[in-house]
Amino acid sequence: MEAITKNFSIALLVLLISTFGTAEDCKRTAKCKCQTASGTVIDLNALSSGPNPRFTATDSKTKNIYYFSPCVPLVKQFCNITGDITMCQVVTGSQPIYWDAGDIGTDTFAGDPAANTLSVTFTGSKTVTTRHSKVNLICSGESRLDFLKEDPPVSGNYSFNLYTPVICPPSGSKSLSFGSILVIVFFVFFIVYWVGGFLFMKFVRRAEGLEVIPNYEFWKEIPLLIRDGIAFTARGCKGESTYEKI
Ligand SMILES: *[C@@H]1O[C@H](CO)[C@@H](O)[C@H](O)[C@H]1NC(C)=O
Ligand SMILES: *[C@@H]1O[C@H](CO)[C@@H](O)[C@H](O)[C@H]1NC(C)=O
């Protein structure tokens, strides 16, 4: 019985660590495309409708205009720069000035579409100070690009929110993600372990005080193990022997 519940405790720890360490990053598979570990494919090509910009956003402070044409280069009429530009910053005035805020093909993805944290970042190459545009992709019934901010100021790093149905999970596939299943399994396991363990210790073992905690000895050791682990890492993963020699 001891051995079984001890293994149960170890399994609980492992489950705890894996549950909260699960984030499904969307890995780039091709231009404008990424795929998660569970097989969800995000394809931004579905957003393209060249040759005119698909999205326009205005910075209300500077009045700069941003033209965004995902996956298809902007035409000269909207971005008069030689090169394949996906995000163009236009300083308005009698003679507009165009800045490359992102090149076609530089898309890098980060985040998890299931958690609505997916973003894509483009990098421009046609300016002396490189500009980056980070576009947060938000599942929505709308199709709209909002300029958020230059972050940090004067960095040439711009952030946007893009609202679009294109990145929404296909309707009907309301199935739970691997991460959510793990969380549910974890909580069921957690409750069974603690409630079952408590009842067992109290009524079968007739334990008193702290002894009613299942595998009390094991859990008591955990802070010590963590302390040792940190000390071990701090020593640069060397054993204690170098200490003893001193
Ligand atoms: C682009 O810029 C060049 C010169 O910089 C100008 O001659 C041309 O008319 C511009 N084209 C458009 C479409 O604005
Ligand atoms: C701008 O963004 C790029 C790419 O995301 C990053 O590598 C760089 O550190 C950022 N620059 C600043 C000043 O934050």
Side-chain angles (χ1 to χ4, degrees):
M1 186 67 203
E2 269 315 297
I4 293 169
T5 56
K6 177 139 187 189
N7 286 339
F8 215 62
S9 311
I10 293 168
L12 186 67
L13 261 186
V14 170
L15 199 60
L16 190 142
I17 292 161
S18 52
T19 301
F20 295 101
T22 307
E24 278 202 64
D25 262 17
C26 202
K27 299 246 167 17
R28 189 185 196 263
T29 52
K31 187 187 108 184
C32 284
K33 266 192 195 179
C34 71
Q35 187 168 5
T36 65
S38 61
T40 304
V41 172
I42 301 293
D43 186 356
L44 302 183
N45 288 291
L47 284 169
S48 307
S49 70
N52 294 336
R54 181 75 170 79
F55 299 97
T56 305
T58 307
D59 176 354
S60 55
K61 270 195 235 140
T62 62
K63 306 287 178 237
N64 289 344
I65 295 173
Y66 295 85
Y67 290 125
F68 181 37
S69 168
C71 318
V72 170
L74 284 160
V75 293
K76 294 287 167 283
Q77 183 195 347
F78 294 99
C79 196
N80 200 351
I81 301 174
T82 309
D84 290 346
I85 318 296
T86 185
M87 178 74 82
C88 195
Q89 181 192 48
V90 185
V91 181
T92 47
S94 55
Q95 197 62 46
I97 305 163
Y98 302 92
W99 298 104
D100 176 7
D103 290 351
I104 290 282
T106 59
D107 43 304
T108 54
F109 291 88
D112 177 3
N116 230 351
T117 58
L118 184 67
S119 71
V120 58
T121 301
F122 299 93
T123 304
S125 66
K126 310 289 177 210
T127 52
V128 179
T129 49
T130 304
R131 285 163 167 75
H132 299 274
S133 297
K134 182 183 181 213
V135 181
N136 304 311
L137 301 165
I138 299 161
C139 164
S140 168
E142 292 179 83
S143 285
R144 192 178 88 232
L145 181 71
D146 280 354
F147 175 83
L148 294 179
K149 59 186 169 184
E150 182 171 8
D151 184 28
V154 226
S155 62
N157 283 7
Y158 306 96
S159 57
F160 303 85
N161 277 348
L162 179 68
Y163 300 88
T164 173
V166 162
I167 64 133
C168 298
S171 55
S173 80
K174 287 269 183 278
S175 67
L176 290 167
S177 76
F178 182 64
S180 341
I181 292 168
L182 263 186
V183 170
I184 292 165
V185 169
F186 169 75
F187 280 107
V188 169
F189 205 86
F190 189 88
I191 289 164
V192 167
Y193 176 81
W194 288 108
V195 174
F198 169 79
L199 294 176
F200 176 80
M201 293 309 282
K202 180 129 184 103
F203 297 107
V204 180
R205 288 286 172 83
R206 311 227 165 260
E208 298 285 338
L210 282 176
E211 299 292 322
V212 299
I213 295 172
N215 302 98
Y216 176 63
E217 291 299 323
F218 173 80
W219 291 110
K220 209 174 65 177
E221 303 267 307
I222 293 293
L224 300 176
L225 288 175
I226 291 172
R227 192 202 61 189
D228 290 351
I230 291 169
F232 179 71
T233 314
R235 281 197 306 272
C237 298
K238 286 194 206 81
E240 215 139 12
S241 56
T242 45
Y243 254 59
E244 285 158 7
K245 281 186 205 139
I246 300 166

